């Protein structure tokens, strides 16, 4: 044991630690997602819902006609289109891939494969950041390597890959903020200049907002809470340079990104100011989610809820962290004096204060994640959450409701709980005298490894066939495209129609997976835009105008003028199965306006005198000469 202790205490160089951790992580990523890399174009992570749409918007943006430019997404919501900020396709990365494809080498046929590489590279970036963070707070290099590899597999953001929320899976975003705040703290406490570091972090945070907008308030809340805890109690806020730098890092990314969007977005005044759905229970963190393992995990905590939490609420802390906290509690109960002594000695270390500052700062996100109103005991009691920043922001501006899925704000809390437990165990190994502590720590590490093994196994068996861009998986489209000349048409109108993303529930008509997939496939094969929409925060007026296509009098005059001015007919993709009793899409609609819109599609070919071009089973392709 003494030999093992001596070996583990030797600290390899940062390059050696980083190289070892990245090598291990590469092997594990390949184990879980290897099919995405070795069989390009054949597999996807998600085959429906938001995931399929996000795949489509990424691929469609990369391959859309050059005339659309770089800031514009013209492949949905035709003829209005929309800006790339509202596609939910990781705009910053999509923009870079399109830029490369247009000016360096055309990679548009492999858009989705590149997207997969970028997603998986995020795992490696998280590992690299964890090495830098853990080197700052841990003594034993073995723990650094193990947890820089393991934790990216356990964090709740990874689950977004199979939910289809791909751009929310980047755990490196939160880790970058934690690493940046640690560096900032170290330099300021050492009396070193921090201007360049703040400028770099401000730039990074601003760019990250164009990966997904939710990262912007997450990082702002974490940094604001950290600076408040650091600077207010000891009067450091009176130091003007430090106060200025903290203000810049907290507010500048939000002002810069929002200002840029408003400057570019000509539709901004048309968008819904206050979206509906704020405080929806399924979008708030259910506290029991912290102790509820994911369905694929074999290790269970001492107790857990029997009712599954909502998809958005998944935030399991992991067996390692939970049982580590149990060990700490047992020590506090049975060896209280020793634990107090340990705590006091740990408190003398600079990294302990820094970790506690970050840990308490992460509580700001945790309290925001449970919503402003929280029901207890199945609604028998209501807790008004005055600790949530949204309790106050929502009273000041209705725009705060744009971040209505507040459960996502708990992600920094996951990281800080796990980092604190790892740091505590590392310190216990250093100063403890109880030989069996090594057995306890090894057992806890094994729990983390088992959770990681279960996760890798789950993802390895979750890879799906690719029906979106793999032509061999689209036999029903072949008869429709056999004699079609896409350049003779201006757009594709799917019937039944769908329009998602205006944030006005009365104007929302959710798509049916099978039908929207057919429309995506046809759009990518022809490079024609869809008149249907599945974006985010599109102007409600666009939804109203597009819905008018199915009015008895036909399209609204404004829309009709635009369609006629193009001079080309519209392709209509009509699925008869929704109107012959095969599929009950209309009956499934709870919104009467949505049901009317679906039902109106039945007579659309007759009312608008469409010309049948081709048929494949229940799929019909019509020509619509708009007059």
């Amino acid at each position: 044991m003494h030999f093992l202790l001596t070996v583990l205490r030797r600290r390899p160089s940062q390059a050696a630690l980083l190289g070892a951790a990245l090598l291990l992580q590469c092997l594990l990523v390949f184990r879980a997602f290897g099919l995405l890399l070795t069989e390009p174009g054949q597999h996807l992570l998600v085959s429906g819902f938001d995931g399929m749409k996000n795949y489509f918007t990424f691929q469609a943006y990369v391959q859309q006609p050059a005339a659309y430019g770089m800031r514009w997404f013209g492949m949905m919501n035709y003829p209005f289109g929309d800006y790339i900020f509202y596609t939910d396709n990781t705009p910053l990365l999509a923009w870079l891939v399109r830029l490369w494809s247009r000016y360096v080498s055309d990679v548009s046929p492999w858009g989705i494969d590149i997207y997969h590489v970028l997603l998986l590279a995020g795992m490696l970036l998280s590992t690299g950041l964890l090495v830098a963070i853990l080197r700052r707070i841990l003594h034993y290099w073995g723990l650094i390597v193990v947890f820089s590899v393991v934790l990216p597999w356990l964090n709740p953001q990874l689950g977004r890959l199979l939910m289809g929320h791909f751009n929310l899976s980047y755990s490196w975003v939160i880790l970058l903020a934690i690493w940046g705040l640690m560096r900032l703290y170290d330099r300021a406490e050492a009396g070193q200049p921090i201007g360049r570091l703040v400028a770099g972090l401000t730039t990074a945070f601003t760019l990250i907002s164009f990966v997904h907008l939710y990262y912007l308030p997450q990082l702002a809340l974490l940094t604001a809470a950290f600076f408040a805890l650091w600077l207010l109690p000891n009067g450091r806020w009176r130091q003007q340079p430090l106060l200025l730098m903290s203000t810049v890092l907290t507010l500048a990314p939000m002002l810069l990104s929002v200002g840029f969007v408003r400057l570019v977005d000509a539709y901004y005044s048309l968008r819904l100011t206050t979206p509906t759905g704020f405080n929806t229970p399924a979008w708030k963190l259910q506290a029991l989610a912290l102790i509820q393992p994911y369905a694929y995990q074999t290790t269970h905590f001492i107790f857990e809820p029997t009712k599954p939490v909502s998809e958005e609420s998944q935030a399991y802390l992991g067996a390692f962290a939970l049982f580590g906290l149990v060990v700490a509690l047992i020590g506090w109960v049975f060896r209280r004096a020793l634990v107090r002594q340990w705590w006091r000695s740990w408190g003398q270390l600079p990294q302990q204060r820094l970790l506690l500052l970050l840990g308490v700062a992460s509580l700001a996100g945790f309290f925001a994640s449970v919503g402003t109103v929280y029901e207890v005991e199945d609604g028998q009691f209501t807790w008004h959450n005055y600790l949530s920043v949204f309790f106050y922001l929502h009273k000041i501006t209705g725009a705060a409701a744009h971040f209505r899925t507040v459960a996502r704000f708990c992600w920094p809390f996951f990281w800080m709980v796990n980092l604190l437990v790892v740091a505590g165990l590392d310190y216990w190994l250093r100063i403890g005298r109880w030989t069996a502590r090594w057995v306890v720590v090894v057992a806890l590490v094994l729990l983390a490894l088992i959770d990681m093994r279960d996760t890798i196994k789950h993802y390895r068996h979750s890879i799906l066939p690719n029906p979106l861009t793999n032509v061999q998986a689209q036999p029903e489209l072949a008869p429709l495209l056999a004699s079609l000349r896409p350049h003779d048409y201006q757009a594709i109108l799917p019937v039944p129609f769908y329009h998602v993303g205006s944030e006005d529930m009365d104007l929302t008509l959710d798509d049916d997976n099978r039908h929207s997939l057919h429309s995506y496939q046809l759009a990518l094969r022809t490079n024609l835009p869809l008149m249907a929409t599945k974006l985010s925060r599109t102007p409600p007026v666009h939804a109203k105008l597009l819905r008018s296509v199915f009015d008895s009098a036909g399209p609204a005059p404004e829309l009709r003028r635009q369609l006629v001015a193009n001079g080309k007919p519209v392709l209509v993709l009509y699925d008869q199965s929704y109107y012959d009793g095969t599929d009950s899409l209309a009956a499934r609609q709870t919104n009467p306006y949505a049901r009317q819109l679906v039902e109106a599609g039945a007579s659309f070919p007759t009312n608008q005198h469409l010309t049948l071009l081709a048929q494949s089973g229940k799929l019909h392709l019509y020509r619509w000469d708009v007059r």
Side-chain angles (χ1 to χ4, degrees), residues 69-306:
M70 301 299 297
R71 64 179 181 173
W72 191 252
F73 181 74
M75 294 296 286
M76 275 186 166
N77 205 46
Y78 183 87
F80 310 108
D82 213 331
Y83 294 86
I84 187 177
F85 316 124
Y86 305 97
T87 56
D88 208 20
N89 70 347
T90 323
L92 178 64
L93 300 183
W95 183 82
L96 291 173
V97 175
R98 180 168 167 80
L99 190 68
W100 179 279
S101 194
R102 284 192 60 187
Y103 298 108
V104 181
S105 176
D106 183 15
V107 294
S108 58
W110 306 281
I112 288 180
D113 298 312
I114 295 172
Y115 198 22
H116 284 153
V117 171
L118 293 172
L119 289 171
L120 300 183
M123 294 283 288
L124 303 182
L125 185 52
S126 293
T127 293
L129 286 166
L130 278 169
V131 169
I133 291 169
L134 294 174
R135 282 190 79 251
R136 170 67 174 78
I137 62 177
L138 300 185
H139 181 78
Y140 294 102
W141 66 266
L143 293 177
I144 296 173
V145 173
V146 168
F147 283 98
S148 62
V149 172
V150 169
L151 289 179
W153 292 98
L154 307 185
N155 85 91
Q157 287 182 255
L158 186 67
R160 299 292 164 158
L161 288 177
L162 299 187
M163 296 180 196
H165 306 160
F166 304 124
N167 46 0
L168 287 173
S169 71
Y170 288 119
S171 55
W172 59 264
V173 170
I174 307 299
L175 291 171
L176 177 65
I178 293 172
W179 172 84
L181 292 174
M182 293 175 73
R183 288 278 295 167
L184 187 60
Y185 177 88
D186 287 342
R187 293 185 66 84
E189 290 294 315
Q192 298 174 342
I194 59 173
R196 293 178 63 181
L197 178 58
V198 169
L201 290 173
T202 300
T203 302
F205 289 3
T206 303
L207 291 175
I208 283 169
S209 69
F210 298 106
V211 173
H212 196 290
L213 193 60
Y214 262 85
Y215 291 133
L216 189 62
Q218 283 181 340
L219 301 185
L221 186 56
L222 179 63
T223 54
F226 176 79
F227 286 126
L229 291 166
W230 176 24
L231 303 180
L232 292 180
N234 55 16
R236 294 287 296 277
W237 62 272
R238 295 188 181 92
Q239 299 178 13
Q240 292 186 2
L242 193 54
L243 178 62
L244 175 62
M245 294 299 176
S246 63
T247 303
V248 167
L249 185 55
T250 302
L251 298 179
M254 185 173 297
L255 296 175
L256 289 171
S257 57
V258 173
F260 179 76
V261 170
R262 294 200 63 169
L263 179 66
V264 172
D265 183 9
Y267 289 161
Y268 192 88
S269 61
L270 301 177
R271 304 189 192 277
L272 197 63
T273 305
T274 306
T276 56
F278 187 73
N279 262 329
T280 298
W283 295 342
K284 298 187 291 186
L285 177 70
Q286 301 164 40
L288 291 176
L290 301 176
I291 62 173
Q292 184 174 76
Y294 303 123
Y296 52 82
Q297 290 176 321
T298 56
T299 303
H300 295 264
F301 191 46
I302 300 168
F303 58 92
E304 61 185 66
T306 56

